[in-house]
Amino acid sequence: MVDYHAANQSYQYGPSSGGNGAGGGGSMGDYMAQEDDWDRDLLLDPAWEKQQRKTFTAWCNSHLRKAGTQIENIDEDFRDGLKLMLLLEVISGERLPKPERGKMRVHKINNVNKALDFIASKGVKLVSIGAEEIVDGNAKMTLGMIWTIILRFAIQDISVEETSAKEGLLLWCQRKTAPYKNVNVQNFHISWKDGLAFNALIHRHRPELIEYDKLRKDDPVTNLNNAFEVAEKYLDIPKMLDAEDIVGTLRPDEKAIMTYVSCFYHAFSGAQKAETAANRICKVLAVNQENEHLMEDYERLASDLLEWIRRTIPWLEDRVPQKTIQEMQQKLEDFRDYRRVHKPPKVQEKCQLEINFNTLQTKLRLSNRPAFMPSEGRMVSDINNCWQHLEQAEKGYEEWLLNEIRRLERLDHLAEKFRQKASIHEAWTDGKEAMLKHRDYETATLSDIKALIRKHEAFESDLAAHQDRVEQIAAIAQELNELDYYDSHNVNTRCQKICDQWDALGSLTHSRREALEKTEKQLETIDQLHLEYAKRAAPFNNWMESAMEDLQDMFIVHTIEEIEGLISAHDQFKSTLPDADREREAILAIHKEAQRIAESNHIKLSGSNPYTTVTPQIINSKWEKVQQLVPKRDHALLEEQSKQQSNEHLRRQFASQANIVGPWIQTKMEEIGRISIEMNGTLEDQLSHLKQYERSIVDYKPNLDLLEQQHQLIQEALIFDNKHTNYTMEHIRVGWEQLLTTIARTINEVENQILTRDAKGISQEQMQEFRASFNHFDKDHGGALGPEEFKACLISLGYDVENDRQGDAEFNRIMSVVDPNHSGLVTFQAFIDFMSRETTDTDTADQVIASFKVLAGDKNFITAEELRRELPPDQAEYCIARMAPYQGSDAVPGALDYKSFSTALYGESDL
């Protein structure tokens, strides 16, 4: 036997897993009242006594070995009280009074009494157990005493769901063995006879130690031996019973089984704490991982959207005009594809990005995490700024394209008009220089000279008539230059050639006239009749040429009024044709009269009028040409009139649809605002109502598509204005995009309110009360309260924020919470967060640190091996990758700092 005092000097006792030394009191006394059968029946069943002796002896030795000793015979080795006091010190962690050194009976009784007094001080009611019976080796009393110690220090503190002691231990066994077949723990005797319950307890906590599926219910001895051997080898639980004793007894001893099972409970209690701690950590890490995934999604979506905007803006800002209408029309078609095909998905992406950002921030607030700050340049405000830049670049682009097409159309019209007039003029001037340079008057007769003079006068009249055409040609060329016509160089070259030639003709005309006038005195005869013919034929011929030019002139109009003006002018021209025909008849009559006089006077004419080249055949030919061109002009004008009537139909068709769609969008916007204010029904009812509105809005999209089709027809017809409606396609598009964005944001706000309500434990009635209070003070229905409105709202809810020093301080504190950015506005989401924040039960950094400390076995650091053992693989690796090395003085190789990691999760320090 080990000397008690020597043991005291050589072994420092501490608290064991058997108990913590705290006095229990009433609950233990109540339970001990159930053990009065020991007093009523002083005899034990021999089989039970054998089982108790073996079990209690093994239980005592499992603790005494910590003091370097053990017992062999339970009713003999406790008789002097020394090992009994030592046992109590080991299992309680407390010092007992110093034992007496003598070996006399009185010394032994005194030592046992000190042990019994210590047991009684822990609230244990000792029934009929005296020191003398223990000293005398009374087996019944000794076993009863040990049982009370086991109850007090190994079983009493077991509590599962507010049960205690025996019931708590039984409930723990039922919970742990529930998933196992052929196991039904109802008591601490026959439920354990087949050994499966013992194996199930081990397998539940250490599955690698037991091959449970290979155990057979009809082989209890093998099952029991397997469980006892594994427990002794791997769990440090000594073998307390023999399998044969349990199987060979009709009803195994309850106290022995309870003692044995309590050892399993305490062996696995550490694992239970570690499991709880691991579950908390897994929960926290799962939240963090999900939030990081949402952050990565946001960063990716934001980057993609910003990249698309940066690629698109230069394209929209490129206002370099093209040379042809076809090229500009292609640019217009590309822009239509952008508005119809490319931009709408990006509008949805932008809206979804804002929704994701708001949802992420809500989740971070609900999990006590710091707010998400996107990387530089990817804030929602940055995206909105870029989007505004995009819309600014887009603004006016379509108008510029249409103006350019109109300008090019005007240029083509002017260029064609320039070519026609230039061709007519060049045809007229062809040969004129040679004619003016001809020196025929030097050899001509007097009559011929006089004829040449008259002919030259007629030419000068014709030349003066052509002056207006030359000026028109120069004016058209000047306008083409001002409108930046791409082929201005060739136009200017041709115009300059015409002007130079015109100047030359003027100079030559002047020179020839001087020459003719010099010899005029020598000329006597002139055919006045031919001269009159020439003078009247030349203007008439010029009028016919102008008329043919006008009848063939290209025209471009954009309205019914313009084409009707042209038709009216054409009708007015046709009304002058009878007078012109009479003038033609009069001119032809002069020619016929000249021929009649020559014939009657036997004058031989040279065959042609010497004063003009305009013969009656030319006049008749041109008059016939004018007659042919008039109906062609009629047809062209009527065709254009039909086209403008069709355009007017397109205008009215578009206006009719736009005047329906525009007010519908405005009405829906107002209805959505009303839904979010009126709060009819629960948040789920509001969400359902909003989603119905969203479906009705989406179902309305074909009306917008029809309007787009009509708008495209209008643009293809180059219609630039519409007096029948105040709505443009751009207004409709912007309104539609705002409607989609507003309904999506409103749905997201209600979803976030539901998320907040559920996470914060807010009832539907509280949420409605909060909403009603908020709406009451949100006078302008803008969705946010100013400081004074918010103060009034708080006062209505019972907050003491009146205008005194204390009230102002409290209000400033609240404002710093609900408006951290000092924007001067409090949103409903911020208001709800504030109303629920202080009563919310969420995990904290300290709780996570405490959980890691359990997994680390009370160390200030944790190792990668411990993390991989206690946590699921993905979460273990997540922690290992992010934990910094532990820098404390007690660090070991591979030690990780779980404290800084935990605080970083809650934004209290940087990872």
Side-chain angles (χ1 to χ4, degrees):
M1 181 180 298
V2 177
D3 182 75
Y4 172 69
H5 301 289
N8 264 342
Q9 296 168 358
S10 63
Y11 185 80
Q12 181 66 37
Y13 310 118
S16 73
S17 61
N20 57 15
S27 62
M28 188 62 196
D30 294 340
Y31 184 72
M32 288 301 300
Q34 302 173 14
E35 301 302 320
D36 289 345
D37 58 333
W38 238 310
D39 300 315
R40 293 191 296 271
D41 181 10
L42 296 179
L43 295 177
L44 279 172
D45 179 278
W48 288 2
E49 181 179 351
K50 179 181 178 183
Q51 293 173 21
Q52 286 184 17
R53 279 179 177 275
K54 186 173 183 63
T55 302
F56 292 176
T57 298
W59 185 85
C60 291
N61 284 334
S62 70
H63 295 287
L64 286 172
R65 66 184 179 183
K66 298 173 184 177
T69 187
Q70 64 178 11
I71 61 172
E72 299 293 337
N73 189 326
I74 196 167
D75 51 356
E76 290 292 331
D77 293 348
F78 286 137
R79 290 178 64 183
D80 60 4
L82 293 177
K83 288 190 177 180
L84 180 59
M85 294 178 72
L86 181 61
L87 174 65
L88 290 172
E89 285 197 349
V90 172
I91 64 178
S92 71
E94 300 180 26
R95 289 287 187 181
L96 271 67
K98 187 176 182 181
E100 298 185 9
R101 294 180 177 274
K103 295 184 179 181
M104 297 176 62
R105 177 179 173 81
V106 65
H107 298 142
K108 296 178 180 180
I109 290 174
N110 288 339
N111 287 339
V112 172
N113 273 329
K114 290 178 181 179
L116 295 178
D117 290 343
F118 179 79
I119 296 171
S121 72
K122 298 303 179 183
V124 178
K125 181 182 178 183
L126 296 172
V127 182
S128 303
I129 299 177
E132 291 79 1
E133 286 85 355
I134 306 301
V135 173
D136 291 339
N138 185 316
K140 163 69 175 179
M141 294 302 172
T142 301
L143 292 174
M145 178 189 65
I146 297 302
W147 174 241
T148 63
I149 294 173
I150 294 172
L151 280 175
R152 172 60 186 84
F153 293 102
I155 298 177
Q156 178 187 343
D157 291 335
I158 297 174
S159 177
V160 179
E161 290 190 357
E162 300 182 358
T163 63
S164 60
K166 178 180 178 180
E167 292 179 0
L169 184 61
L170 184 63
L171 181 57
W172 179 80
C173 294
Q174 291 171 340
R175 287 275 181 84
K176 295 300 181 181
T177 61
Y180 294 88
K181 63 181 180 180
N182 297 326
V183 177
N184 183 18
V185 177
Q186 298 297 326
N187 51 54
F188 285 109
H189 38 79
I190 60 175
S191 294
W192 303 82
K193 282 189 67 174
D194 59 12
L196 292 177
F198 284 106
N199 283 277
L201 281 180
I202 298 173
H203 185 268
R204 180 63 181 272
H205 295 89
R206 297 288 298 278
E208 76 279 5
L209 301 179
I210 297 288
E211 294 184 297
Y212 186 84
D213 292 339
K214 294 185 178 181
L215 300 178
R216 302 198 333 263
K217 188 175 181 63
D218 60 357
D219 190 3
V221 174
T222 300
N223 297 342
L224 289 165
N225 283 330
N226 182 66
F228 295 162
E229 290 168 4
V230 168
E232 185 171 39
K233 182 176 181 181
Y234 296 103
L235 305 178
D236 199 25
I237 299 175
K239 186 175 182 181
M240 297 184 178
L241 289 171
D242 292 325
E244 291 76 13
D245 293 340
I246 297 176
V247 174
T249 305
L250 183 62
R251 183 174 183 270
D253 180 62
E254 186 176 49
K255 300 176 181 60
I257 297 296
M258 280 182 67
T259 302
Y260 213 158
V261 171
S262 71
C263 294
F264 282 89
Y265 175 85
H266 290 296
F268 294 131
S269 63
Q272 187 72 22
K273 292 178 183 177
E275 180 181 348
T276 301
N279 287 339
R280 176 178 289 277
I281 292 172
C282 288
K283 174 186 171 184
V284 172
L285 295 178
V287 170
N288 223 55
Q289 287 173 306
E290 180 185 1
N291 291 340
E292 287 186 358
H293 178 68
L294 291 175
M295 294 175 191
E296 291 169 359
D297 283 349
Y298 175 89
E299 292 282 347
R300 176 177 54 78
L301 289 173
S303 297
D304 293 346
L305 184 57
L306 287 170
E307 178 60 27
W308 178 81
I309 293 174
R310 292 190 182 105
R311 289 199 314 268
T312 305
I313 286 176
W315 174 66
L316 291 172
E317 291 179 340
D318 179 16
R319 305 293 171 93
V320 177
Q322 303 299 311
K323 293 182 178 181
T324 65
I325 293 179
Q326 291 75 20
E327 290 174 321
M328 291 303 297
Q329 286 177 333
Q330 183 58 50
K331 289 177 75 70
L332 180 61
E333 187 60 34
D334 292 343
F335 180 73
R336 288 171 182 159
D337 286 342
Y338 158 78
R339 290 309 306 261
R340 290 195 309 265
V341 179
H342 301 294
K343 186 183 178 185
K346 298 303 177 182
V347 172
Q348 295 177 3
E349 286 180 19
K350 176 177 175 292
C351 179
Q352 189 62 45
L353 194 66
E354 294 180 8
I355 290 173
N356 291 351
F357 180 84
N358 293 334
T359 301
L360 174 59
Q361 299 294 34
T362 299
K363 290 187 175 181
L364 290 172
R365 285 196 304 272
L366 295 178
S367 58
N368 260 1
R369 301 308 196 271
F372 168 54
M373 287 296 293
S375 58
E376 185 177 357
R378 293 186 177 89
M379 293 286 290
V380 171
S381 59
D382 295 326
I383 294 173
N384 286 333
N385 290 336
C386 289
W387 192 265
Q388 290 177 1
H389 190 183
L390 173 73
E391 292 185 333
Q392 190 63 34
E394 182 181 308
K395 184 178 180 182
Y397 184 70
E398 186 176 30
E399 183 180 355
W400 173 77
L401 289 173
L402 294 172
N403 286 337
E404 276 300 307
I405 292 174
R406 192 182 305 175
R407 183 181 69 84
L408 290 174
E409 185 180 46
R410 171 70 176 162
L411 284 174
D412 285 353
H413 170 69
L414 289 174
E416 182 61 26
K417 193 170 185 177
F418 174 84
R419 284 190 288 271
Q420 284 187 359
K421 288 185 176 295
S423 297
I424 292 172
H425 177 77
E426 288 166 347
W428 179 82
T429 59
D430 184 39
K432 293 295 189 291
E433 286 190 24
M435 182 268 292
L436 291 172
K437 292 178 180 180
H438 192 212
R439 304 179 67 87
D440 52 352
Y441 54 84
E442 293 180 346
T443 58
T445 64
L446 181 60
S447 61
D448 292 334
I449 290 299
K450 289 184 177 292
L452 288 176
I453 291 174
R454 300 296 182 267
K455 183 177 180 181
H456 189 71
E457 289 176 349
F459 172 77
E460 286 180 327
S461 177
D462 199 9
L463 185 69
H466 277 270
Q467 176 68 33
D468 182 62
R469 180 177 289 111
V470 173
E471 291 175 355
Q472 289 178 5
I473 291 172
I476 293 173
Q478 179 63 27
E479 188 172 359
L480 287 171
N481 284 323
E482 291 173 354
L483 293 176
D484 195 22
Y485 182 53
Y486 76 94
D487 198 23
S488 293
H489 174 73
N490 290 331
V491 169
N492 292 335
T493 300
R494 190 173 184 181
C495 180
Q496 188 61 46
K497 183 179 179 181
I498 290 173
C499 291
D500 292 344
Q501 186 184 40
W502 183 255
D503 292 338
L505 286 176
S507 177
L508 290 172
T509 300
H510 180 71
S511 299
R512 183 172 178 83
R513 182 175 182 83
E514 287 182 344
L516 291 172
E517 286 177 348
K518 186 177 180 181
T519 58
E520 184 180 9
K521 293 179 181 179
Q522 303 170 4
L523 302 178
E524 297 177 347
T525 306
I526 185 169
D527 190 344
Q528 293 295 332
L529 198 57
H530 279 184
L531 182 58
E532 183 182 358
Y533 170 88
K535 287 182 177 181
R536 294 181 67 174
F540 185 73
N541 180 63
N542 190 60
W543 175 86
M544 286 192 296
E545 287 181 349
S546 296
M548 288 189 292
E549 182 179 344
D550 290 339
L551 289 171
Q552 297 177 87
D553 187 22
M554 295 177 62
F555 56 84
I556 177 168
V557 294
H558 296 96
T559 65
I560 286 288
E561 291 76 14
E562 290 178 357
I563 188 61
E564 287 178 349
L566 290 179
I567 291 174
S568 175
H570 183 62
D571 290 341
Q572 186 177 0
F573 166 77
K574 289 192 293 183
S575 68
T576 65
L577 290 179
D579 291 339
D581 191 33
R582 284 190 288 272
E583 175 67 9
R584 180 183 66 86
E585 293 288 348
I587 293 171
L588 294 178
I590 292 172
H591 176 73
K592 290 179 180 178
E593 180 65 16
Q595 287 183 331
R596 186 190 66 78
I597 293 173
E599 290 174 358
S600 63
N601 294 288
H602 304 287
I603 299 173
K604 186 176 181 180
L605 300 175
S606 60
S608 61
N609 191 323
Y611 308 119
T612 181
T613 58
V614 180
T615 66
Q617 292 78 14
I618 292 175
I619 291 175
N620 286 331
S621 174
K622 289 184 178 180
W623 178 256
E624 184 179 352
K625 180 66 173 177
V626 169
Q627 295 294 96
Q628 292 172 354
L629 289 174
V630 168
K632 289 183 179 179
R633 185 72 167 183
D634 287 333
H635 179 69
L637 291 172
L638 289 175
E639 276 191 345
E640 183 62 28
Q641 185 182 38
S642 176
K643 175 185 174 183
Q644 291 303 322
Q645 288 172 344
S646 174
N647 288 353
E648 182 67 10
H649 172 72
L650 290 177
R651 288 189 183 96
R652 292 180 181 275
Q653 179 178 268
F654 175 84
S656 175
Q657 182 71 2
N659 289 336
I660 295 173
V661 174
W664 184 89
I665 291 175
Q666 184 175 357
T667 300
K668 289 299 178 183
M669 288 286 286
E670 294 171 354
E671 289 175 352
I672 292 169
R674 221 169 24 248
I675 292 172
S676 62
I677 291 172
E678 291 174 352
M679 305 183 305
N680 292 327
T682 65
L683 288 177
E684 284 75 8
D685 293 337
Q686 295 176 41
L687 182 62
S688 175
H689 198 184
L690 285 169
K691 288 188 175 179
Q692 289 176 4
Y693 262 87
E694 185 179 39
R695 285 192 293 273
S696 72
I697 290 170
V698 172
D699 292 342
Y700 198 76
K701 182 65 163 56
N703 294 280
L704 203 71
D705 295 337
L706 175 61
L707 200 60
E708 285 282 7
Q709 294 171 7
Q710 294 171 350
H711 178 64
Q712 183 168 347
L713 292 175
I714 282 179
Q715 288 194 333
E716 288 173 353
L718 296 178
I719 300 172
F720 302 111
D721 53 10
N722 193 339
K723 64 183 179 181
H724 304 297
T725 180
N726 293 325
Y727 293 100
T728 66
M729 195 64 233
E730 181 64 23
H731 292 152
I732 298 293
R733 290 170 184 151
V734 172
W736 178 256
E737 292 170 0
Q738 289 178 346
L739 180 60
L740 291 178
T741 301
T742 300
I743 187 65
R745 284 176 176 166
T746 306
I747 288 174
N748 179 245
E749 287 175 2
V750 177
E751 290 173 338
N752 282 342
Q753 290 176 28
I754 293 173
L755 185 64
T756 302
R757 181 198 66 191
D758 296 341
K760 302 291 188 178
I762 303 173
S763 68
Q764 183 64 39
E765 291 76 15
Q766 287 175 311
M767 183 64 77
Q768 288 181 338
E769 180 185 355
F770 294 157
R771 188 67 192 181
S773 298
F774 188 89
N775 285 347
H776 177 75
F777 294 98
D778 184 14
K779 303 298 183 183
D780 61 353
H781 307 304
L785 301 181
E788 292 304 318
E789 294 173 327
F790 181 57
K791 177 181 283 189
C793 182
L794 290 176
I795 293 173
S796 73
L797 292 171
Y799 280 80
D800 185 10
V801 290
E802 294 290 352
N803 291 326
D804 55 32
R805 179 177 297 179
Q806 183 176 354
D808 289 343
E810 175 64 9
F811 180 69
N812 290 335
R813 180 191 71 79
I814 295 174
M815 281 299 293
S816 67
V817 173
V818 298
D819 185 21
N821 296 324
H822 306 293
S823 65
L825 293 174
V826 180
T827 65
F828 181 67
Q829 186 62 46
F831 173 66
I832 289 299
D833 288 343
F834 166 72
M835 295 303 295
S836 57
R837 179 172 300 166
E838 296 181 359
T839 58
T840 302
D841 181 19
T842 58
D843 55 86
T844 65
D846 289 341
Q847 290 174 322
V848 176
I849 291 173
S851 299
F852 273 118
K853 191 169 186 178
V854 171
L855 300 186
D858 285 339
K859 299 190 301 294
N860 291 323
F861 58 83
I862 194 167
T863 65
E865 180 182 355
E866 288 169 332
L867 287 170
R868 292 189 176 103
R869 183 177 69 240
E870 300 294 348
L871 299 179
D874 61 329
Q875 293 184 333
E877 298 305 324
Y878 177 83
C879 291
I880 294 168
R882 286 163 174 77
M883 282 187 182
Y886 177 68
Q887 303 296 334
S889 58
D890 54 339
V892 300
L896 300 173
D897 188 351
Y898 61 78
K899 291 183 179 179
S900 63
F901 171 76
S902 300
T903 54
L905 289 177
Y906 293 86
E908 298 176 20
S909 67
D910 293 329
L911 277 175

